[in-house]
Short mmCIF file of all heavy atoms in Angstrom, two decimals:
data_model
loop_
_atom_site.label_atom_id
_atom_site.label_comp_id
_atom_site.label_asym_id
_atom_site.label_seq_id
_atom_site.Cartn_x
_atom_site.Cartn_y
_atom_site.Cartn_z
N PRO A 530 98.21 271.47 7.25
CA PRO A 530 99.21 270.60 6.62
C PRO A 530 100.33 270.27 7.61
O PRO A 530 100.47 270.93 8.64
CB PRO A 530 99.73 271.43 5.44
CG PRO A 530 99.40 272.84 5.78
CD PRO A 530 98.21 272.82 6.68
N PRO A 531 101.13 269.23 7.30
CA PRO A 531 102.26 268.92 8.18
C PRO A 531 103.27 270.06 8.20
O PRO A 531 103.29 270.91 7.29
CB PRO A 531 102.85 267.65 7.57
CG PRO A 531 102.36 267.61 6.17
CD PRO A 531 101.07 268.35 6.14
N VAL A 532 104.09 270.09 9.24
CA VAL A 532 105.13 271.13 9.37
C VAL A 532 106.06 271.10 8.16
O VAL A 532 106.45 272.15 7.65
CB VAL A 532 105.92 270.92 10.68
CG1 VAL A 532 107.11 271.86 10.76
CG2 VAL A 532 105.01 271.10 11.88
N MET A 533 106.41 269.88 7.72
CA MET A 533 107.19 269.74 6.48
C MET A 533 106.45 268.80 5.54
O MET A 533 106.12 267.67 5.91
CB MET A 533 108.60 269.20 6.75
CG MET A 533 109.59 270.29 7.17
SD MET A 533 111.23 269.62 7.55
CE MET A 533 111.69 268.88 5.99
N ALA A 534 106.20 269.30 4.32
CA ALA A 534 105.53 268.51 3.28
C ALA A 534 106.39 267.30 2.94
O ALA A 534 107.56 267.22 3.35
CB ALA A 534 105.31 269.40 2.06
N PRO A 535 105.84 266.34 2.17
CA PRO A 535 106.58 265.10 1.92
C PRO A 535 108.01 265.31 1.42
O PRO A 535 108.28 266.15 0.57
CB PRO A 535 105.72 264.41 0.85
CG PRO A 535 104.33 264.88 1.17
CD PRO A 535 104.50 266.31 1.59
N PHE A 536 108.91 264.51 2.01
CA PHE A 536 110.32 264.52 1.65
C PHE A 536 110.87 263.11 1.84
O PHE A 536 110.16 262.23 2.34
CB PHE A 536 111.10 265.54 2.50
CG PHE A 536 111.02 265.33 3.98
CD1 PHE A 536 112.00 264.58 4.64
CD2 PHE A 536 109.97 265.84 4.73
CE1 PHE A 536 111.93 264.37 6.02
CE2 PHE A 536 109.90 265.63 6.11
CZ PHE A 536 110.87 264.89 6.75
N ILE A 537 112.11 262.92 1.43
CA ILE A 537 112.74 261.60 1.56
C ILE A 537 113.93 261.72 2.50
O ILE A 537 114.80 262.57 2.31
CB ILE A 537 113.18 261.05 0.19
CG1 ILE A 537 111.94 260.80 -0.69
CG2 ILE A 537 114.00 259.76 0.35
CD1 ILE A 537 112.26 260.45 -2.14
N ASN A 538 113.93 260.90 3.53
CA ASN A 538 114.98 260.92 4.54
C ASN A 538 115.51 259.50 4.76
O ASN A 538 114.73 258.60 5.10
CB ASN A 538 114.42 261.46 5.86
CG ASN A 538 115.47 261.55 6.94
OD1 ASN A 538 116.43 262.28 6.82
ND2 ASN A 538 115.30 260.75 7.99
N GLY A 539 116.80 259.30 4.51
CA GLY A 539 117.38 257.97 4.72
C GLY A 539 116.68 256.89 3.92
O GLY A 539 116.51 255.78 4.40
N GLY A 540 116.25 257.24 2.70
CA GLY A 540 115.64 256.24 1.84
C GLY A 540 114.19 255.96 2.15
O GLY A 540 113.65 254.94 1.67
N ARG A 541 113.54 256.83 2.91
CA ARG A 541 112.15 256.62 3.28
C ARG A 541 111.37 257.92 3.08
O ARG A 541 111.85 258.99 3.42
CB ARG A 541 112.05 256.22 4.76
CG ARG A 541 112.74 254.93 5.11
CD ARG A 541 113.04 254.90 6.60
NE ARG A 541 113.56 253.61 7.06
CZ ARG A 541 114.85 253.31 7.11
NH1 ARG A 541 115.77 254.18 6.73
NH2 ARG A 541 115.25 252.13 7.54
N TRP A 542 110.13 257.76 2.60
CA TRP A 542 109.24 258.91 2.51
C TRP A 542 108.73 259.29 3.89
O TRP A 542 108.39 258.41 4.70
CB TRP A 542 108.01 258.57 1.65
CG TRP A 542 108.24 258.66 0.18
CD1 TRP A 542 108.34 257.61 -0.70
CD2 TRP A 542 108.34 259.86 -0.61
NE1 TRP A 542 108.52 258.09 -1.97
CE2 TRP A 542 108.52 259.46 -1.95
CE3 TRP A 542 108.30 261.21 -0.30
CZ2 TRP A 542 108.66 260.37 -2.98
CZ3 TRP A 542 108.44 262.13 -1.33
CH2 TRP A 542 108.62 261.71 -2.66
N GLY A 543 108.64 260.59 4.14
CA GLY A 543 108.06 261.04 5.40
C GLY A 543 107.53 262.45 5.31
O GLY A 543 107.76 263.18 4.34
N VAL A 544 106.78 262.80 6.33
CA VAL A 544 106.41 264.20 6.57
C VAL A 544 106.78 264.50 8.02
O VAL A 544 106.92 263.58 8.83
CB VAL A 544 104.89 264.46 6.36
CG1 VAL A 544 104.46 264.08 4.95
CG2 VAL A 544 104.04 263.74 7.40
N LEU A 545 106.95 265.77 8.32
CA LEU A 545 107.17 266.16 9.71
C LEU A 545 105.82 266.62 10.26
O LEU A 545 105.23 267.60 9.79
CB LEU A 545 108.21 267.27 9.80
CG LEU A 545 108.71 267.58 11.22
CD1 LEU A 545 109.42 266.37 11.82
CD2 LEU A 545 109.65 268.77 11.20
N CYS A 546 105.34 265.86 11.24
CA CYS A 546 104.00 266.10 11.81
C CYS A 546 103.99 267.37 12.66
O CYS A 546 105.03 267.85 13.12
CB CYS A 546 103.62 264.88 12.65
SG CYS A 546 101.94 264.93 13.29
N GLY A 547 102.79 267.86 12.93
CA GLY A 547 102.63 268.99 13.83
C GLY A 547 103.18 268.72 15.22
O GLY A 547 103.55 269.65 15.94
N CYS A 548 103.25 267.43 15.62
CA CYS A 548 103.83 267.06 16.93
C CYS A 548 105.35 266.94 16.84
O CYS A 548 105.98 266.58 17.84
CB CYS A 548 103.21 265.75 17.42
SG CYS A 548 103.80 264.28 16.59
N MET A 549 105.91 267.19 15.64
CA MET A 549 107.35 267.11 15.34
C MET A 549 107.83 265.67 15.21
O MET A 549 109.04 265.42 15.19
CB MET A 549 108.21 267.88 16.35
CG MET A 549 107.85 269.35 16.43
SD MET A 549 107.78 270.17 14.82
CE MET A 549 109.53 270.35 14.47
N GLY A 550 106.91 264.73 15.12
CA GLY A 550 107.29 263.35 14.81
C GLY A 550 107.47 263.17 13.31
O GLY A 550 106.79 263.81 12.50
N LEU A 551 108.39 262.27 12.93
CA LEU A 551 108.58 261.91 11.53
C LEU A 551 107.60 260.78 11.22
O LEU A 551 107.59 259.75 11.89
CB LEU A 551 110.02 261.46 11.31
CG LEU A 551 110.43 261.09 9.89
CD1 LEU A 551 110.24 262.28 8.95
CD2 LEU A 551 111.87 260.62 9.87
N VAL A 552 106.77 260.99 10.20
CA VAL A 552 105.66 260.08 9.93
C VAL A 552 105.79 259.53 8.52
O VAL A 552 106.01 260.29 7.56
CB VAL A 552 104.32 260.84 10.09
CG1 VAL A 552 103.15 259.92 9.76
CG2 VAL A 552 104.19 261.39 11.50
N SER A 553 105.63 258.22 8.38
CA SER A 553 105.74 257.58 7.07
C SER A 553 104.64 258.06 6.13
O SER A 553 103.49 258.25 6.53
CB SER A 553 105.66 256.06 7.25
OG SER A 553 105.87 255.41 6.01
N TYR A 554 105.02 258.23 4.86
CA TYR A 554 104.12 258.79 3.84
C TYR A 554 104.16 257.90 2.61
O TYR A 554 105.20 257.33 2.29
CB TYR A 554 104.61 260.20 3.48
CG TYR A 554 103.98 260.80 2.25
CD1 TYR A 554 102.67 261.27 2.27
CD2 TYR A 554 104.69 260.90 1.06
CE1 TYR A 554 102.10 261.82 1.13
CE2 TYR A 554 104.12 261.45 -0.08
CZ TYR A 554 102.83 261.92 -0.04
OH TYR A 554 102.26 262.46 -1.16
N ASP A 555 103.01 257.79 1.95
CA ASP A 555 102.95 257.07 0.69
C ASP A 555 102.51 258.01 -0.42
O ASP A 555 101.41 258.56 -0.35
CB ASP A 555 101.98 255.89 0.80
CG ASP A 555 102.10 254.97 -0.40
OD1 ASP A 555 101.85 255.44 -1.54
OD2 ASP A 555 102.44 253.79 -0.22
N PRO A 556 103.35 258.21 -1.43
CA PRO A 556 103.00 259.18 -2.49
C PRO A 556 101.85 258.71 -3.38
O PRO A 556 101.19 259.55 -3.99
CB PRO A 556 104.31 259.32 -3.29
CG PRO A 556 105.07 258.07 -3.01
CD PRO A 556 104.69 257.65 -1.62
N ASP A 557 101.61 257.40 -3.47
CA ASP A 557 100.46 256.94 -4.25
C ASP A 557 99.17 257.08 -3.44
O ASP A 557 98.15 257.49 -3.96
CB ASP A 557 100.65 255.49 -4.69
CG ASP A 557 101.68 255.35 -5.80
OD1 ASP A 557 101.67 256.22 -6.71
OD2 ASP A 557 102.49 254.42 -5.75
#
Side-chain angles (χ1 to χ4, degrees):
V532 173
M533 277 178 61
F536 58 93
I537 295 171
N538 182 64
R541 298 159 173 91
W542 279 107
V544 302
L545 191 63
C546 186
C548 75
M549 302 310 284
L551 182 59
V552 178
S553 184
Y554 168 74
D555 191 299
D557 287 319

